[in-house]
Amino acid sequence: MIGKSASGQSGKAAPQTRIQRAKREAILEAGLTVFSEAGFRGATLDRIASEAGLSKPNLLYYYPSKEAIYEALLRGLLETWLDPLQAIDPMGEPVEELLGYVRRKLQMSRDFPRQSRLFANEIVQGAPRIMPVLEGELRGMVDRLAMVIEGWIAEGRLAPVDPRHLMFSVWSLTQHYADFDVQVRAVLNADDPYPGAETHLELLFRRLLTP
Amino acid sequence: MIGKSASGQSGKAAPQTRIQRAKREAILEAGLTVFSEAGFRGATLDRIASEAGLSKPNLLYYYPSKEAIYEALLRGLLETWLDPLQAIDPMGEPVEELLGYVRRKLQMSRDFPRQSRLFANEIVQGAPRIMPVLEGELRGMVDRLAMVIEGWIAEGRLAPVDPRHLMFSVWSLTQHYADFDVQVRAVLNADDPYPGAETHLELLFRRLLTP
DNA sequence: GTCTATACACGGATAGAC
DNA sequence: GTCTATCCGTGTATAGAC
């Protein structure tokens, strides 16, 4: 299970030299690549090890199991992932605050597509490991934001929308460009879909949200 | 590879009794369930066989390999999947035609969530088997539709939008409710997200598309 | 056509030398 | 800490009896 302890370091608080930290980092980096491409079951320790430049047993010296690497990745993911949501300012101008959120989220798809796909893989397959976080932290954050949005609507500073479905729209539209990347590129027959995407999403949300 | 031959029956044109058809059908049905939940590698013949009420060797009598079942499913998927796109009428009223497409697509997410997730799994992991279809048929259909949409915009019957990114928006918004189902339910803490989704998407696209 | 038994490869994890 | 060798479970696929 995920999200129970704050530090991901197994509690032992071992001294941790720089070189150890570096190798653990390399493993997570490799794991991110492999897990995001193949999903949990599709990934192999062989590939992760070779990608990280380590032998398989050596990799298992740093992380005790495949599961452990995967869970460490999910844990790390959640912080950066939920961050942009926190950055929405209830005191700001509603439409601009939400558009800023959309922009940050789209940028994350461009800059961290592997993280997005890792998350997508986990959810599509039923979120076997990350479900508690969805029902706990995520729902809590969305509930809080929903109240803010409803306040904005009541004040007439935002067009009336269902706040939670609005969130789903932001997530799906932005993450689509990372998760369905190959399809997007195949259809567009172009290299970088993001300039077009940014313009399109700005237009879409401005039209939806402007009172 | 997918989409080369029209019939999925391996060319032998064997007589095919009703009972054989029924078993092949049961296998595909079971395969859809298992592959959509676990992805290609995560699925096992054991689970598919037991789900279909067959022994494993018996299953392999009807389909020669795991790959064969998977490819048969992808092939079958594409027809129903691209169908709603074909149903858009260039002679109809633009906003209503596109809203109809959105509605049909959302209904497919509700009625065939396993198909949606099967497709999502395939694409997220780089579309190793279905890429040719994306670059061929899908791109072709989107290109044709894009011209229709551009015509509508030129006539002032539709607000100016990038036609291809509009398609991405329809796909991501509607399929999100099938693919990220567990997340949607976790956040909403409710059972059936679809009534809310339909209202929301109708509002969203009407606002976006009305000139 | 359908079963039991089994071959065989792959992958996660461990043992133990260095 | 890092390696080589290896164990062993799981999973695809086949052999061969019925």
Side-chain angles (χ1 to χ4, degrees):
Chain A
M1 222 196 268
I2 305 293
K4 291 203 294 191
S5 83
S7 122
Q9 239 58 278
S10 84
K12 283 244 180 122
Q16 288 273 4
T17 72
R18 293 137 247 128
I19 209 141
Q20 281 174 323
R21 286 210 151 277
K23 292 211 173 170
R24 290 178 73 94
E25 192 45 52
I27 291 170
L28 290 183
E29 174 67 18
L32 179 56
T33 297
V34 177
F35 281 123
S36 69
E37 275 175 24
F40 180 78
R41 276 214 68 194
T44 69
L45 290 182
D46 268 318
R47 261 205 74 198
I48 298 175
S50 97
E51 201 96 4
L54 270 66
S55 71
K56 196 161 47 160
N58 195 196
L59 178 150
L60 285 166
Y61 170 80
Y62 286 98
Y63 285 90
S65 69
K66 186 179 175 180
E67 279 269 346
I69 304 172
Y70 187 72
E71 299 207 345
L73 281 170
L74 280 188
R75 226 188 323 268
L77 182 57
L78 287 169
E79 295 168 35
T80 47
W81 217 241
L82 299 183
D83 230 36
L85 201 60
Q86 304 275 29
I88 296 177
D89 179 9
M91 297 306 167
E93 206 287 304
V95 174
E96 292 310 320
E97 284 298 323
L98 291 171
L99 278 175
Y101 178 53
V102 171
R103 245 176 258 119
R104 283 192 297 276
K105 213 74 183 55
L106 185 62
Q107 211 148 24
M108 288 183 65
S109 278
R110 171 172 35 193
D111 297 343
F112 310 110
R114 294 175 304 168
Q115 277 88 338
S116 186
R117 280 194 284 267
L118 180 73
F119 191 73
N121 262 306
E122 169 72 8
I123 302 288
V124 177
Q125 306 203 356
R129 294 157 234 263
I130 218 180
M131 184 59 108
V133 181
L134 301 183
E135 288 173 327
E137 289 171 57
L138 181 63
R139 176 152 81 213
M141 291 177 60
V142 171
D143 284 347
R144 272 193 300 282
L145 183 59
M147 291 188 55
V148 173
I149 290 177
E150 269 154 9
W152 285 339
I153 295 173
E155 298 167 19
R157 298 201 290 158
L158 199 69
V161 223
D162 181 303
R164 287 173 187 81
H165 286 281
L166 173 61
M167 282 303 103
F168 299 149
S169 295
V170 175
W171 298 342
S172 69
L173 285 166
T174 53
Q175 289 172 21
H176 185 80
Y177 289 96
D179 302 342
F180 284 66
D181 179 67
V182 294
Q183 178 176 262
V184 168
R185 287 176 202 273
V187 166
L188 286 182
N189 198 15
D191 265 353
D192 185 3
Y194 282 100
E198 180 157 3
T199 309
H200 173 71
L201 292 188
E202 163 122 16
L203 172 69
L204 186 152
F205 281 107
R206 210 174 271 287
R207 285 208 157 219
L208 174 63
L209 297 174
T210 305
Chain B
M1 220 194 265
I2 305 292
K4 292 204 294 195
S5 84
S7 121
Q9 239 56 280
S10 83
K12 283 242 178 121
Q16 288 274 4
T17 73
R18 293 137 246 128
I19 208 141
Q20 283 174 323
R21 287 210 149 277
K23 292 211 174 171
R24 291 178 72 94
E25 192 46 52
I27 291 170
L28 290 183
E29 174 67 18
L32 179 55
T33 297
V34 177
F35 281 123
S36 69
E37 276 176 24
F40 180 77
R41 274 215 69 195
T44 70
L45 290 182
D46 267 318
R47 262 204 73 196
I48 299 175
S50 96
E51 201 97 4
L54 270 66
S55 71
K56 199 162 42 163
N58 195 195
L59 179 149
L60 286 165
Y61 170 80
Y62 287 98
Y63 285 90
S65 69
K66 185 179 174 180
E67 279 269 347
I69 304 172
Y70 187 73
E71 298 207 344
L73 281 170
L74 279 188
R75 229 188 323 268
L77 181 58
L78 287 168
E79 295 168 34
T80 48
W81 217 242
L82 299 182
D83 230 35
L85 201 61
Q86 303 274 29
I88 296 175
D89 179 8
M91 296 307 168
E93 206 287 304
V95 174
E96 293 309 319
E97 285 298 323
L98 290 172
L99 278 176
Y101 178 53
V102 171
R103 245 177 257 119
R104 284 191 297 277
K105 213 71 184 53
L106 185 63
Q107 211 148 24
M108 289 184 66
S109 278
R110 172 171 34 194
D111 297 342
F112 310 110
R114 294 174 305 168
Q115 278 86 339
S116 186
R117 281 192 284 266
L118 181 72
F119 191 73
N121 262 305
E122 169 73 8
I123 302 290
V124 177
Q125 305 202 358
R129 296 158 231 263
I130 218 180
M131 185 59 110
V133 181
L134 302 184
E135 287 172 329
E137 290 170 57
L138 181 62
R139 177 152 81 212
M141 291 178 61
V142 172
D143 283 348
R144 273 193 300 282
L145 182 59
M147 290 188 55
V148 173
I149 291 177
E150 269 155 9
W152 285 340
I153 294 172
E155 298 166 20
R157 298 201 292 157
L158 199 70
V161 222
D162 181 304
R164 287 173 187 82
H165 286 281
L166 173 62
M167 283 303 103
F168 299 149
S169 295
V170 175
W171 298 341
S172 69
L173 285 167
T174 54
Q175 290 173 20
H176 185 80
Y177 288 96
D179 302 343
F180 285 64
D181 179 66
V182 295
Q183 179 176 259
V184 168
R185 287 176 202 274
V187 167
L188 287 182
N189 198 15
D191 265 355
D192 185 2
Y194 283 100
E198 180 157 3
T199 309
H200 173 71
L201 292 188
E202 163 121 15
L203 172 68
L204 186 153
F205 280 108
R206 210 174 271 288
R207 285 208 158 218
L208 174 64
L209 297 174
T210 305

